């Protein structure tokens, strides 16, 4: 009979993963197992703050935010009515399913209310109204606004007269910071050791299939990836473009503490990757383009046994449905967790987290 030490049992419980009919479902308990208390001080920098870029977040802030999301997902804190005096406007001048609905779901779950602009044709912008004037109106109508727009400069223009917090739900080909938070929430549940803030024995080789210079989800994901220099051995970007980074992304990659490699053949490196972040759709100013269409994954791809695949969705042919029912599929869990990470973010922005956390969970 083998007797396991408490430490070994703890590690087994922490790393337990469940698989159901829609892929891999890491349990949130691992995020709070060793450090259950929330350090409010590390999150106070987000109070009444606009969320425009992923570079707003540091490692400690991301870990504490993930713990709040875990408590919400596990229903260990009750926040059903805490935002019942708040209204969120979701102003989507570009098509969206997951981002708009998950933000609205997050707000409603917290007892708040939502106003929604589902398409640009329904706004004054269709008549030539300036975004800065629309921003002035939001001050009277809502307490926070989530915006998606086809133009990168739209966030700055809308913000000029805005006095309430604004969350960037995707601006052109620039950034999508809360998508990156959802991405890393899924990865932290999958590998809770990343929460410890120290180098782990298992170093991850991270693959990004896409073009960070023109894909907002990929860019924001990469920005947060650079926070985990103790846990990522290498980042490999796979793209068919000659310059997948562009000037801005190239500048922070040049100073990256993690080695970054660029390849143009996914099949050459797929067997080395522990995490594969895929995207093929980019908005390039005048419409959607499919980039990297020759890079595809299916159940027969030569993936490492325990490799996981992330995708911000919507997908096209690059991610075959045959992967949906495998342990490589982390992308559905990634989408599910977006509601909880956005709930956590709204609680923190409005300064209401302390109201819902019991004293024994506050550090």
């Amino acid at each position: 009979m083998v007797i396991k030490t408490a430490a070994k049992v703890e590690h087994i419980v922490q790393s337990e993963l469940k698989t159901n009919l829609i892929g891999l479902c890491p349990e949130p308990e691992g995020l709070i197992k060793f450090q259950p208390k929330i350090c409010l001080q590390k999150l106070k920098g987000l109070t009444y703050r606009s969320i425009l870029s992923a570079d707003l977040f540091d490692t400690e802030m991301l870990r504490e935010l993930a713990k709040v999301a875990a408590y919400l997902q596990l229903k260990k804190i009750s926040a059903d009515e805490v935002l019942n005096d708040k209204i969120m406007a979701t102003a989507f001048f570009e098509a969206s399913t997951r981002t708009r609905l998950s933000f609205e779901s997050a707000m409603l779950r917290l007892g708040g209310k939502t106003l929604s602009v589902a398409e640009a044709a329904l706004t004054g912008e269709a008549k030539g109204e300036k975004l800065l004037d629309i921003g002035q109106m939001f001050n009277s109508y809502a307490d926070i606004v989530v915006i998606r727009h086809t133009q990168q400069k739209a966030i700055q223009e809308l913000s000029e007269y805005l006095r309430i917090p604004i969350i960037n739900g995707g601006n052109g080909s620039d950034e999508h910071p809360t998508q990156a938070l959802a991405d890393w929430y899924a990865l932290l549940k999958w590998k809770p050791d990343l929460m410890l803030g120290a180098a782990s024995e298992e170093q991850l080789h991270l693959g990004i299939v896409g073009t960070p210079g023109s894909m907002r989800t990929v860019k924001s994901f990469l920005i947060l990836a650079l926070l985990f220099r103790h846990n990522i051995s290498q980042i490999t970007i796979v793209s068919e473009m000659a310059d997948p980074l562009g000037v801005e992304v190239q500048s922070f990659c040049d100073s990256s503490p993690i080695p970054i490699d660029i390849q143009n053949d996914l099949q050459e490196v797929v067997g080395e990757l522990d995490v594969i972040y895929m995207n093929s759709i980019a908005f390039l100013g005048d419409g959607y383009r499919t980039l990297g269409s020759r890079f595809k994954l299916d159940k027969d791809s030569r993936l490492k046994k325990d490799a996981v695949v992330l995708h911000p969705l919507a997908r096209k042919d690059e991610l075959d449905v045959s992967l949906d029912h495998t342990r490589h599929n982390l992308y559905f869990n990634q989408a599910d967790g977006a509601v909880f990470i956005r709930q956590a973010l709204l609680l923190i922005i409005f300064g209401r987290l302390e109201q819902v956390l019991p004293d024994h969970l506050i550090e």
Side-chain angles (χ1 to χ4, degrees):
M1 181 177 185
V2 178
I3 300 176
K4 298 182 176 70
T5 65
K8 287 182 178 179
V9 172
E10 194 77 21
H11 179 73
I12 291 170
V13 172
Q14 180 189 15
S15 60
E16 182 183 3
L17 302 175
K18 293 183 179 179
T19 306
N20 62 16
L21 294 178
I22 54 170
L24 195 62
C25 293
E27 295 291 344
E29 283 94 345
L31 302 185
I32 54 178
K33 189 68 69 175
F34 295 125
Q35 297 174 339
K37 292 190 175 184
I38 306 293
C39 182
L40 293 177
Q41 191 60 39
K42 293 175 182 176
L43 294 170
K44 286 195 180 294
L46 297 174
T47 305
Y48 292 103
R49 186 81 179 268
S50 290
I51 311 298
L52 304 183
S53 170
D55 66 10
L56 174 64
F57 299 90
D58 59 33
T59 313
E60 292 181 337
M61 194 181 288
L62 180 56
R63 291 189 186 113
E64 297 304 309
L65 185 63
K67 285 196 285 185
V68 176
Y71 279 119
L72 289 164
Q73 187 168 2
L74 292 166
K75 302 186 186 307
K76 292 190 175 183
I77 58 176
S78 177
D80 295 346
E81 298 297 326
V82 71
L83 295 185
N84 62 2
D85 60 336
K86 299 298 182 184
I87 297 174
M88 177 180 70
T90 52
F92 280 70
F93 298 82
E94 180 192 337
S96 172
T97 301
R98 279 154 297 277
T99 302
R100 181 169 65 87
L101 291 181
S102 66
F103 263 112
E104 292 180 356
S105 175
M107 189 65 170
L108 292 169
R109 288 167 188 249
L110 297 172
K113 304 169 185 67
T114 65
L115 301 172
S116 184
V117 176
E119 55 180 297
L122 301 178
T123 72
E125 191 185 41
K127 297 183 290 186
E129 185 176 13
K130 294 182 181 299
L131 278 173
L132 57 88
D133 289 339
I134 294 176
Q136 172 66 25
M137 295 305 100
F138 281 134
N139 293 324
S140 302
Y141 303 154
D143 301 290
I144 191 169
V145 58
V146 183
I147 182 173
R148 170 173 291 185
H149 204 284
T150 57
Q151 300 297 321
Q152 291 188 32
K153 64 180 181 179
I155 300 290
Q156 284 69 35
E157 186 177 343
L158 189 73
S159 300
E160 188 168 339
Y161 290 165
L162 203 64
R163 298 188 301 274
I164 60 175
I166 180 172
I167 297 177
N168 180 1
N171 62 322
S173 59
D174 188 30
E175 277 211 59
H176 194 347
T178 64
Q179 175 63 53
L181 294 177
D183 301 338
W184 280 96
Y185 179 51
L187 285 175
L188 290 170
K189 286 187 292 181
W190 174 61
K191 290 291 182 185
D193 284 353
L194 294 171
M195 295 286 288
L196 300 178
S200 57
E201 293 182 8
E202 183 182 9
Q203 297 283 297
L204 299 176
H205 185 172
L206 184 65
I208 295 176
V209 182
T211 56
S214 56
M215 291 178 176
R216 60 193 176 208
T217 57
V218 174
K219 179 181 177 181
S220 293
F221 177 79
L222 178 57
I223 290 172
L224 292 190
L226 299 182
L227 298 177
F228 293 90
R229 61 184 180 275
H230 298 302
N231 308 100
I232 297 174
S233 60
Q234 182 174 334
I235 297 173
T236 296
I237 297 170
V238 183
S239 175
E240 60 189 17
M241 297 185 70
D243 178 18
L245 300 179
V247 176
E248 182 185 359
V249 178
Q250 183 69 61
S251 65
F252 67 73
C253 285
D254 287 342
S255 58
S256 166
I258 304 169
I260 297 178
D261 183 33
I262 297 176
Q263 298 286 337
N264 58 18
D265 188 340
L266 177 60
Q267 300 312 315
E268 279 193 9
V269 296
V270 69
E272 304 169 13
L273 305 176
D274 300 296
V275 178
I276 304 173
Y277 190 92
M278 299 195 76
N279 196 7
S280 71
I281 301 174
F283 192 91
L284 299 179
D286 58 347
Y288 297 98
R289 309 279 179 84
T290 301
L291 305 177
S293 56
R294 66 188 179 92
F295 303 129
K296 300 181 180 181
L297 290 180
D298 59 33
K299 67 179 180 61
D300 297 319
S301 298
R302 295 180 293 105
L303 295 163
K304 289 179 72 171
K305 178 183 175 182
D306 296 322
V308 295
V309 178
L310 292 172
H311 196 299
L313 302 173
R315 62 175 160 183
K316 299 188 80 173
D317 294 341
E318 76 279 1
L319 185 59
D320 192 79
V321 295
S322 62
L323 270 173
D324 292 355
H325 302 286
T326 72
R327 289 179 61 85
H328 301 300
N329 170 9
L330 195 58
Y331 41 90
F332 286 168
N333 187 264
Q334 172 190 2
D336 291 342
V339 172
F340 304 106
I341 202 75
R342 286 169 174 145
Q343 274 186 273
L345 192 60
L346 289 170
L347 281 174
I348 294 161
I349 290 174
F350 283 119
R352 299 290 174 85
L353 181 57
E354 198 165 358
Q355 293 183 22
V356 300
L357 279 180
D359 290 343
H360 73 275
L361 291 181
I362 298 175
E363 183 176 310

